[in-house]
Amino acid sequence: MCREASLETLRKIGSELVRISQISALLGWDQETYMPREGIEDRAVQQALISGWQHDKLTDPEIGKALEALGVDLEVEKLELTQFDSITGLNEQDRAFIREMARNYRREKKLPKSLVEKFARETSISQSKWVEAREKSDFDIFAPHLERILSIEKEMAGLIGYDSEPYDALLDTYEPWMSTKELVDVFDRFEAPLKDLVKRIVNSHEEIDERFIHSRYNIRKQEAFGKEILEAMGFDFNRGRLDVSAHPFTTTIGFSDVRLTTRYSEDNLKDAIFGIIHEGGHGLYELGFSGKLKGNILADGASMGIHESQSRLWENIIGRSYNFWVAFYPKLTEYFEDTLKGVPLESFYRAINVVKPSLIRVMADEVTYNLHILVRFKIERGLLNNEISVNELPRVWNDEYEYLLGVRPENDSEGVLQDIHWSLGYIGYFPTYSLGNLYSAQFYAKMRKYVENLDEEIRRGNLRPVLAWLRENIHQYGKVYPASVLCKRVTGESLNPRYFIDYLEDKYSAVYGLG
Ligand code: MG
């Protein structure tokens, strides 16, 4: 096969893969938003069929032949980024495309279809067992299922192969090209400063009044306000929607069809607003890929960590900033005249930035959040390295919470059973939340240097310069650059947790009057 024909073969299969995942995304979106409850049985079969189709497509022998014709050595023990730099005569996008096709093909080919299907079956059962276990707050109901998922994931990690420990193989699913060793190094650099900051905040004994956040807030008004913010962020409702689901998420059905979801609580103003801004950040990334990537597997986030950096940057760094609310608080008080009357901007700002060690990750503030992730990361690693057994999980979980956050769960529901991830088989996913926080601060530090009068523009409610900078430096490239390469290109250095720590120190020294 000549090079051009090989590339054409890969493009054809690649675009079919994109279509298959878009179809699956649409089914998934429907399942979480409008599908009647009893539709689940058929939906599970439909999705399983698509998973099989996807696996067949990803392992199509034509991919292997085409990659070899293009000079990619698939027999190497480990794919290295540099391997693809040396392919000559192609532009950057095509080289990246070949790199990602090779990565997916090698990975998927090592997993027998029967194992992939078994995994799909086990996780769909274990999801419902997890729901039951959490409702009854009884880990024993979930334990045997987690045991099976863990054993499949260990088997998968062994088949995929890894550098130093099985976690490498699983982390790579979500954070391509990053090793556990690099991750540990990053985490080690922020654990102590973060614990120290939390301790100083707790010791300040500053009580922030946030009772008004829990008054009654009309849901239609919350939605209207949320949409106004999305529009100010630059979200185009001709290319996307906002709907309601139990767990907020963003999913992509097409190049110009991105769906956001949120949930509203009448007695918590923070839930929906910050959820909408967060998902809006994900959505803007998905809508910001260059037109050149349309229908290409590269029209995707560089990694889950980079994706999360986009949502966190909008939600926390912009959305929880004082400047942002100088512009938007007057609008919010128009919507909720009676409840927010008499609450000055200062008080509102402090109330949306309360820091308090707590038990539930999704409710955590931006300071303690990463400690919740550390607990999970340590445990996942311990499970895969056979240092922790499933049966001792509740105790280990509670001990870690006490050690890192100073709080101890009283039951499994508010402890080890709180997250859905393990029941879905998402081991290796949690760290990407923390990476998102770290990347967001590093990107923002750069943005502030380059965008003139950024603070003043935000104070005026003009968010266009923020989006423009993100589009130019991050969004347009999609998956063309791996996360580490993108980070260096954008900020001039590798991921450095110092930016995040400095950001928190600055902000919360002011909020809590720390000396
Ligand atoms: Mg997110």
Side-chain angles (χ1 to χ4, degrees):
M1 241 195 299
C2 75
R3 282 164 66 103
E4 201 38 53
S6 306
L7 198 52
E8 221 21 73
T9 302
L10 289 184
R11 286 203 183 107
K12 185 171 168 291
I13 299 174
S15 80
E16 285 168 358
L17 280 166
V18 171
R19 299 310 173 197
I20 295 171
S21 83
Q22 290 172 343
I23 294 168
S24 165
L26 177 55
L27 291 177
W29 172 83
D30 174 70
Q31 180 176 327
E32 301 298 325
T33 50
Y34 296 107
M35 188 187 79
R37 185 193 288 257
E38 296 201 4
I40 187 65
E41 215 175 289
D42 285 329
R43 185 55 43 87
V45 179
Q46 292 157 3
Q47 286 282 33
L49 198 64
I50 291 183
S51 296
W53 186 18
Q54 215 158 20
H55 180 79
D56 290 342
K57 192 59 77 181
L58 279 165
T59 55
D60 187 335
E62 291 298 314
I63 299 178
K65 283 186 218 155
L67 287 170
E68 269 165 37
L70 285 160
V72 178
D73 184 0
L74 292 166
E75 301 307 316
V76 285
E77 198 170 322
K78 186 183 170 220
L79 284 183
E80 301 283 356
L81 283 174
T82 47
Q83 201 179 326
F84 301 92
D85 296 340
S86 57
I87 304 177
T88 51
L90 292 176
N91 64 31
E92 207 165 36
Q93 182 180 319
D94 284 338
R95 275 206 307 271
F97 170 64
I98 291 170
R99 180 194 76 219
E100 290 307 311
M101 286 298 283
R103 198 182 93 81
N104 294 340
Y105 175 73
R106 256 182 63 111
R107 221 185 130 85
E108 198 73 15
K109 230 174 87 78
K110 289 176 180 165
L111 305 175
K113 195 173 180 181
S114 58
L115 188 65
V116 173
E117 285 170 346
K118 185 175 164 196
F119 187 62
R121 270 197 314 276
E122 288 293 350
T123 50
S124 78
I125 299 167
S126 94
Q127 237 181 101
S128 63
K129 289 292 170 190
W130 168 76
V131 172
E132 186 190 337
R134 195 171 75 148
E135 272 166 18
K136 295 182 179 156
S137 194
D138 182 357
F139 182 71
D140 291 345
I141 297 172
F142 179 53
H145 300 275
L146 181 57
E147 193 85 69
R148 282 203 280 278
I149 286 175
L150 189 64
S151 109
I152 298 175
E153 299 229 43
K154 280 183 191 164
E155 189 181 345
M156 285 178 158
L159 289 166
I160 292 165
Y162 45 84
D163 258 1
S164 52
E165 57 181 274
Y167 203 82
D168 286 327
L170 302 185
L171 177 67
D172 187 71
T173 317
Y174 311 103
E175 204 59 27
W177 311 101
M178 187 179 211
S179 70
T180 313
K181 203 170 149 292
E182 291 168 291
L183 186 63
V184 169
D185 174 55
V186 168
F187 279 2
D188 278 351
R189 282 152 71 195
F190 80 68
E191 180 176 337
L194 205 54
K195 273 187 75 172
D196 172 64
L197 176 60
V198 172
K199 201 166 142 197
R200 279 181 290 138
I201 291 173
V202 170
N203 289 342
S204 77
H205 298 293
E206 178 88 19
E207 282 291 335
I208 294 175
D209 185 3
E210 51 166 342
R211 280 170 302 182
F212 64 89
I213 294 285
H214 303 281
S215 307
R216 290 177 83 78
Y217 293 93
N218 178 281
I219 284 173
R220 287 203 176 282
K221 288 185 185 176
Q222 290 191 44
E223 185 187 356
F225 179 72
K227 285 186 170 169
E228 253 191 70
I229 290 195
L230 282 177
E231 266 166 4
M233 288 165 67
F235 186 80
D236 179 357
F237 279 94
N238 291 312
R239 299 180 69 202
R241 290 180 55 92
L242 173 67
D243 293 272
V244 177
S245 69
H247 303 280
F249 65 93
T250 296
T251 195
T252 296
I253 318 287
F255 192 75
S256 292
D257 185 353
V258 170
R259 313 284 174 97
L260 318 179
T261 72
T262 192
R263 60 172 166 218
Y264 299 95
S265 3
E266 211 170 36
D267 62 354
N268 186 345
L269 184 59
K270 290 199 277 192
D271 241 17
I273 291 180
F274 293 103
I276 288 171
I277 302 176
H278 180 99
E279 299 308 328
H282 282 304
L284 289 173
Y285 190 14
E286 290 285 313
L287 289 171
F289 304 139
S290 155
K292 286 187 281 189
L293 300 182
K294 200 170 176 174
N296 193 308
I297 56 166
L298 298 172
D300 195 0
S303 72
M304 297 300 291
I306 298 291
H307 226 305
E308 194 68 7
S309 78
Q310 299 308 292
S311 54
R312 296 280 166 173
L313 190 146
W314 283 104
E315 178 197 352
N316 290 333
I317 301 185
I318 308 249
R320 288 182 206 270
S321 72
Y322 187 78
N323 290 333
F324 179 88
W325 289 102
V326 168
F328 290 95
Y329 192 58
K331 283 189 209 296
L332 184 69
T333 52
E334 270 172 43
Y335 277 104
F336 302 108
E337 233 174 328
D338 32 337
T339 10
L340 291 176
K341 194 166 55 187
V343 179
L345 169 61
E346 309 285 331
S347 309
F348 178 77
Y349 170 67
R350 284 161 62 84
I352 59 170
N353 285 296
V354 168
V355 175
K356 200 173 183 184
S358 63
L359 296 170
I360 307 293
R361 173 185 63 87
V362 295
M363 310 288 272
D365 57 81
E366 60 179 330
V367 182
T368 57
Y369 189 91
N370 291 283
L371 297 174
H372 291 259
I373 299 303
L374 267 176
V375 170
R376 288 149 179 83
F377 172 58
K378 288 182 179 180
I379 289 179
E380 287 184 340
R381 227 178 139 204
L383 284 170
L384 284 165
N385 291 338
N386 299 317
E387 291 153 9
I388 300 173
S389 72
V390 167
N391 287 329
E392 54 186 354
L393 265 187
R395 185 188 53 75
V396 174
W397 181 283
N398 296 350
D399 289 350
E400 282 294 338
Y401 260 79
E402 196 155 0
Y403 170 69
L404 279 171
L405 285 130
V407 289
R408 192 174 184 91
E410 281 179 10
N411 58 58
D412 295 343
S413 272
E414 57 180 32
V416 68
L417 286 173
Q418 65 182 271
D419 297 307
I420 193 173
H421 300 59
W422 293 341
S423 78
L424 298 168
Y426 292 177
I427 298 176
Y429 189 112
F430 283 119
T432 69
Y433 292 128
S434 280
L435 292 172
N437 287 324
L438 303 181
Y439 278 125
S440 73
Q442 192 164 338
F443 291 153
Y444 196 69
K446 199 69 182 177
M447 189 194 299
R448 284 193 72 175
K449 266 198 187 143
Y450 282 85
V451 179
E452 249 178 89
N453 304 323
L454 181 60
D455 291 348
E456 288 79 61
E457 294 299 343
I458 294 172
R459 275 174 97 92
R460 294 198 299 121
N462 178 19
L463 305 175
R464 285 190 305 271
V466 176
L467 181 59
W469 190 90
L470 293 173
R471 286 252 148 102
E472 187 190 333
N473 291 283
I474 297 165
H475 297 179
Q476 61 162 322
Y477 299 113
K479 219 183 180 68
V480 170
Y481 304 116
S484 61
V485 177
L486 182 72
C487 182
K488 265 210 179 118
R489 280 180 60 103
V490 177
T491 69
E493 59 179 307
S494 307
L495 179 58
N496 181 353
R498 202 60 246 172
Y499 290 97
F500 182 64
I501 296 293
D502 289 347
Y503 156 74
L504 292 180
E505 282 283 350
D506 275 2
K507 178 172 175 180
Y508 289 94
S509 293
V511 172
Y512 279 90
L514 306 177

